[in-house]
Amino acid sequence: MKKQLQNYKVFLGLGFVFFIISFFIAGAHLSKQSGIISPNVNPWAFRSIDTMKYSRDLAREKLGDTTFDQDIRKQIEEISSTGATHVAIATPYDEEFYPILKRWVDIAREYQLNVWFRGNFSGWEGWFEYKKLTRDEHIAKTESFITNHKELFIDGDVFTACPECENGGPGDPRATGDTKGHRKFLIDEYSVTKKAFSKLRLSVPSNFVSMNFDVAKLIMDKSTTSSLDGIVTIDHYVKSPKVMKSDIDYIAQKSRGKIVIGEFGAPIPDINGEMDEKEQNLWLDEVLGLLYSDPNVIGINYWVSRGGSTQLWDESGKERQAVKTLRSYLTRP
């Protein structure tokens, strides 16, 4: 009996070890398929750099310019070198811009990068002289875009239908007072996009609904956050790294959600004043250190790669000091 009991304990012990190993193997598989990284690696499941100043602002100008692929490739190569998991591409979703969006996506795939789709339909904010859209029109067009362009997406991508949605459509709920309508629109659109990707059998999260921090304070209560499957995405520019930390903790507590930093960077002249490379690097190092140790933060997207005051590379492709610091955090276990 004693020997049988010992054998039984050994069996249970081996079973437990097998369960733990299986759990981490499954977690690694999940991370590859959905972009969610298991807990034994970098705590940011999502590590991205934004290309908006090129992928959106130049979308029409470079639409027929195939030599622009050299610029796309160079930026994608630079972003890939940092250890980023994703590149944020902000090309509009209108059919006019599909050819250049596809060029960005195809080159990102060559460098094994997932894509965070951060475009929008031009009519929402009135880009490129497009006619304004209603909420219902936006939802319908978004569903059609996903359904008709399955070839753009792979497992692990992220899709945002309406980044900083408060900047277009019926207007900012802080000004209109339509908090209820804004919440309903975000939830309804997420429901439609989630179902669309499910029908395509693609693991593409579409609940990274980025918004201004002050809008998040107004909109993202516990119920809304729950309806968006527990993610709050804030685009947030701050003077002090400590303010970034306290603001994140406030939103996490209020919403009971996990936080993705959809946009951040420095210097923004109106907020940070002017910064040289060293000052930018010191600011970024302090911010990243605070974010890395914050269990509420599951992902970041640095804005922007090139073209803005916060850029990481200058127009000639020369790395600023901040690139080395960012790389050290994005590749850290």
Side-chain angles (χ1 to χ4, degrees), residues 31-37 44-51 75-76 78-89 108-109 111-118 154-159 203-205 208 298-302 330:
S31 71
K32 184 177 180 181
Q33 295 300 312
S34 67
I36 304 303
I37 306 300
W44 296 326
F46 175 86
R47 307 187 291 284
S48 177
I49 297 174
D50 207 293
T51 63
Q75 285 197 56
I76 295 295
E78 290 164 352
I79 290 168
S80 175
S81 76
T82 66
T85 59
H86 291 68
V87 53
I89 296 173
R109 304 306 185 206
Y111 288 85
Q112 289 76 52
L113 284 172
N114 279 104
V115 173
W116 184 9
F117 292 85
R118 293 195 80 226
I154 63 173
D155 290 339
D157 287 345
V158 174
F159 179 82
S203 179
V204 177
F208 285 35
I298 64 168
I300 63 170
N301 177 52
Y302 184 87
L330 298 189

Side-chain angles (χ1 to χ4, degrees), residues 235-285:
D235 295 355
H236 200 31
Y237 297 93
V238 296
K239 184 171 185 177
S240 163
K242 291 181 175 60
V243 170
M244 175 74 84
K245 166 69 172 167
S246 64
D247 286 348
I248 288 168
D249 291 344
Y250 171 82
I251 287 292
Q253 183 178 14
K254 180 179 184 292
S255 67
R256 292 294 187 266
K258 292 296 184 181
I259 311 300
V260 172
I261 311 300
E263 288 183 18
F264 78 107
I268 302 293
D270 290 346
I271 297 173
N272 308 101
E274 299 296 329
M275 287 182 172
D276 60 24
E277 277 195 49
K278 182 178 179 180
E279 291 167 330
Q280 179 194 33
N281 188 45
L282 289 172
W283 182 94
L284 182 60
D285 190 28

Side-chain angles (χ1 to χ4, degrees), residues 38-296:
S38 54
N40 61 330
V41 294
N42 193 296
W44 296 326
F46 175 86
R47 307 187 291 284
S48 177
I49 297 174
D50 207 293
T51 63
M52 181 189 291
K53 300 302 289 184
Y54 281 68
S55 60
R56 186 187 76 187
D57 293 0
L58 300 181
R60 179 173 279 172
E61 178 184 338
K62 300 298 184 180
L63 188 59
D65 182 2
T66 56
T67 65
F68 185 59
D69 286 4
Q70 298 172 20
D71 295 277
I72 296 174
R73 184 174 300 280
K74 181 60 177 172
Q75 285 197 56
I76 295 295
E77 182 180 30
E78 290 164 352
I79 290 168
S80 175
S81 76
T82 66
T85 59
H86 291 68
V87 53
I89 296 173
T91 309
Y93 301 142
D94 312 282
E95 288 302 309
E96 174 189 357
F97 301 106
Y98 173 82
I100 195 166
L101 173 60
K102 187 70 164 54
R103 285 154 60 189
W104 276 96
V105 171
D106 286 348
I107 293 173
R109 304 306 185 206
E110 291 180 30
Y111 288 85
Q112 289 76 52
L113 284 172
N114 279 104
V115 173
W116 184 9
F117 292 85
R118 293 195 80 226
N120 201 338
F121 290 98
S122 297
W124 187 253
E125 293 188 37
W127 303 334
F128 302 108
E129 301 83 44
Y130 271 69
K131 180 183 175 182
K132 283 280 191 176
L133 295 175
T134 67
R135 287 168 172 166
D136 288 343
E137 287 171 334
H138 194 281
I139 291 174
K141 287 175 73 69
T142 300
E143 182 177 26
S144 295
F145 175 78
I146 294 169
T147 301
N148 294 334
H149 293 300
K150 178 181 179 181
E151 71 283 353
L152 286 176
F153 307 104
I154 63 173
D155 290 339
D157 287 345
V158 174
F159 179 82
T160 299
C162 191
E164 294 189 20
C165 223
E166 63 271 14
N167 292 337
D172 192 321
R174 292 172 294 177
T176 65
D178 186 21
T179 302
K180 182 178 179 180
H182 194 80
R183 283 179 176 141
K184 183 177 186 303
F185 172 57
L186 298 181
I187 293 167
D188 288 349
E189 189 152 64
Y190 172 49
S191 177
V192 167
T193 58
K194 183 178 180 181
K195 288 177 183 176
F197 284 115
S198 179
K199 286 180 181 178
L200 295 177
R201 297 186 179 181
L202 285 168
S203 179
V204 177
S206 56
N207 56 338
F208 285 35
V209 184
S210 65
M211 62 190 72
N212 177 281
F213 171 73
D214 290 324
V215 174
K217 286 199 297 184
L218 175 65
I219 295 296
M220 298 304 290
D221 57 12
K222 294 176 187 176
S223 177
T224 305
T225 303
S226 178
S227 296
L228 295 176
D229 286 342
I231 300 293
V232 180
T233 305
I234 56 171
D235 295 355
H236 200 31
Y237 297 93
V238 296
K239 184 171 185 177
S240 163
K242 291 181 175 60
V243 170
M244 175 74 84
K245 166 69 172 167
S246 64
D247 286 348
I248 288 168
D249 291 344
Y250 171 82
I251 287 292
Q253 183 178 14
K254 180 179 184 292
S255 67
R256 292 294 187 266
K258 292 296 184 181
I259 311 300
V260 172
I261 311 300
E263 288 183 18
F264 78 107
I268 302 293
D270 290 346
I271 297 173
N272 308 101
E274 299 296 329
M275 287 182 172
D276 60 24
E277 277 195 49
K278 182 178 179 180
E279 291 167 330
Q280 179 194 33
N281 188 45
L282 289 172
W283 182 94
L284 182 60
D285 190 28
E286 186 175 354
V287 167
L288 292 175
L290 292 170
L291 297 181
Y292 190 86
S293 61
D294 191 330
N296 294 313

